[in-house]
Amino acid sequence: MSQSDNYEAAASGANTEVASFADDGKGLLGRFQHMLHVNPAMVPLIVLVAAVIVFGAVLGSKFFSPFALTLILQQVQIVGVLAAAQSLIILTAGIDLSVGAIAVLSSVIMGQFAFRYGVPPFFAVVAGLAIGTGIGAINGWLVSRIKLPPFIVTLGMWQIVLAANYLYSDNETIRSQDIESDAAFLQFLGTKLQFAGATFTLGVILMILLVLVLAYCLRATAWGRHVYAVGDDPEAAELAGVNVHKTLMSVYMLVGFICGLAGWVMIGRFGSVSPSATTGVIGNIQAITAVVIGGISLFGGRGSIVGAFFGALIVGVFELGLRMAGANPQWTFLLIGTLIIAAVAVDQWIRKVSA
C-alpha cells in the first residue's frame, strides 16, 4: 500500500470516528428530537395512541366498540376537512380565520340555489364549491399581490362572509325533511355505510381521502415542495425560481374549494342548512386547534397534514372519552388548551434541530 493510500485510510478512519462521536454526542434525547423533526406527525400520533389507551383502560369495552370509535370519525369530519384547509395556509406561514364562515356560506348557497332558484341539486353543490373557491381567490390575491397580512385579510373576510351569509339567506333555515324530499343530493355525504358493527358516512370517507391526496401532493409533487419553500422563506423561494404569487393563489383557491366541500359535509352531517351554524363562528378556531396539536408549525414550512388529521382525532377522542366518563365538559377545554400550549412548546424544541 502506498503512502498516499495510508493517508487516505487514516483520514477516512478519523472521519468515521468523528461522525460516530458526533452521533454519540447527541445522546438518546438528541436522536429522539431529530426523529421528531424528520417525522412531524409522530408527536400527535403518540398523543392519539396514548389517549385511546388511557380512555380504553378507564372505560373498557364501551369505548373500544366499533360504534364508539367510528363515532369519533363522524364527529370530527367537519373539523377534519377544515383542518386540512387550514394546514395548507399555515404551511405557507399564514393563517385563515374565515374557513368556518366560508363553509357555512357555501352550504347556504347550495341550499338557496336548490330551493329559491330551483337549480338541480348537483349544480347547486357546484355553485357552492365555486363560491368557496372564489372567496379563497380574493383572500389569496389580497395576501399575495397587495401584500396584506393573512391574519388581517381573513379576519376581515370572516366578518364579511358572516354578514353576507345572514343577509343573503334572510336567516332562513332549510329543514332536513324538505331537503330529503326535494333535494336529496345535498345530503349525499351523510349517506351511512355499515361495516362490522361500525358506521361510516361518505363525509368521513371524503375527509380521509382528502387528507391522503393532500399528503401525497405535498410530499411528492413540485407544487408541494413550493408550498413548503414559500412557508419557510418566500424570498429565498423566489430566488430559487418559485413563483410565490402563483403558489399562494393556488393554495388559497384550493382552501376555498375545500371549505366548500366542508359546507357540503355539513349538510350531510346535520341534514339541514342553517346560516346560524356554529361552524361559522368557531370552525376556524377548531381547525387551528387541530393543526397546532397536529404538529404543524405556526411559523410555516414544517409539518404534515396527516398530523393535522391526528390532531382532529385527538380532540374527538378527548370529547367522547370525557363525555362517556361523565366528566364536566369544561375538562375538555382545559385539556385541549393544555395540549395547544404543549404542542407549540414541542415545536419550538424540535425546531432547535435545524437551528
Side-chain angles (χ1 to χ4, degrees):
M1 179 180 293
S2 65
Q3 187 175 5
S4 61
D5 291 337
N6 288 334
Y7 284 144
E8 290 179 4
S12 176
N15 290 336
T16 301
E17 290 179 4
V18 170
S20 177
F21 177 78
D23 290 339
D24 292 341
K26 286 184 179 180
L28 181 61
L29 183 61
R31 288 194 292 272
F32 180 66
Q33 184 184 25
H34 179 72
M35 181 192 70
L36 296 181
H37 176 73
V38 175
N39 303 286
M42 187 64 69
V43 175
L45 177 59
I46 293 172
V47 174
L48 176 62
V49 172
V52 170
I53 292 174
V54 170
F55 281 116
V58 173
L59 299 173
S61 59
K62 65 178 181 178
F63 182 80
F64 277 128
S65 67
F67 174 77
L69 294 178
T70 52
L71 181 60
I72 295 172
L73 289 171
Q74 292 185 52
Q75 290 179 336
V76 304
Q77 59 184 304
I78 299 171
V79 175
V81 174
L82 291 178
Q86 190 71 251
S87 298
L88 296 174
I89 300 293
I90 292 181
L91 283 174
T92 63
I95 197 165
D96 195 335
L97 300 179
S98 64
V99 291
I102 296 174
V104 174
L105 178 60
S106 296
S107 70
V108 168
I109 291 293
M110 295 174 190
Q112 291 295 329
F113 270 50
F115 284 86
R116 182 185 296 183
Y117 308 127
V119 174
F122 174 82
F123 293 105
V125 170
V126 172
L129 296 177
I131 292 295
T133 306
I135 296 173
I138 295 172
N139 284 341
W141 185 79
L142 291 173
V143 170
S144 178
R145 283 299 190 210
I146 310 301
K147 305 298 182 184
L148 297 180
F151 180 89
I152 299 302
V153 169
T154 57
L155 177 63
M157 188 59 73
W158 175 41
Q159 298 291 335
I160 292 170
V161 172
L162 280 180
N165 175 36
Y166 287 112
L167 291 172
Y168 173 68
S169 66
D170 292 330
N171 205 16
E172 175 190 3
T173 297
I174 302 176
R175 300 182 304 169
S176 176
Q177 54 266 42
D178 293 333
I179 296 176
E180 185 176 358
S181 61
D182 299 329
F185 185 73
L186 297 183
Q187 298 176 337
F188 176 70
L189 293 180
T191 304
K192 293 184 178 180
L193 305 174
Q194 302 288 336
F195 179 76
T199 301
F200 297 91
T201 63
L202 293 181
V204 169
I205 295 175
L206 172 67
M207 172 185 66
I208 295 173
L209 289 176
L210 179 66
V211 169
L212 292 176
V213 170
L214 290 177
Y216 172 79
C217 291
L218 288 170
R219 185 183 68 253
T221 67
W223 175 80
R225 291 190 290 273
H226 291 172
V227 170
Y228 280 103
V230 169
D232 188 51
D233 190 334
E235 294 181 359
E238 191 83 54
L239 292 173
V242 176
N243 189 326
V244 175
H245 169 69
K246 183 178 179 181
T247 301
L248 286 175
M249 284 297 297
S250 67
V251 166
Y252 278 90
M253 291 178 68
L254 178 58
V255 165
F257 177 79
I258 294 172
C259 290
L261 288 178
W264 193 15
V265 172
M266 285 176 57
I267 301 176
R269 172 67 175 157
F270 302 129
S272 60
V273 173
S274 174
S276 58
T278 57
T279 302
V281 179
I282 65 173
N284 54 335
I285 301 299
Q286 293 174 327
I288 293 170
T289 297
V291 170
V292 172
I293 294 176
I296 294 181
S297 175
L298 289 174
F299 301 99
R302 196 189 72 82
S304 167
I305 201 165
V306 176
F309 175 61
F310 290 153
L313 290 179
I314 289 170
V315 175
V317 168
F318 272 87
E319 289 180 346
L320 180 64
L322 290 172
R323 186 163 65 247
M324 292 178 69
N328 189 317
Q330 299 305 319
W331 279 104
T332 302
F333 296 106
L334 188 150
L335 292 173
I336 296 302
T338 302
L339 280 176
I340 292 173
I341 296 174
V344 175
V346 169
D347 174 63
Q348 292 291 325
W349 176 66
I350 293 173
R351 287 176 72 90
K352 292 179 181 179
V353 174
S354 58

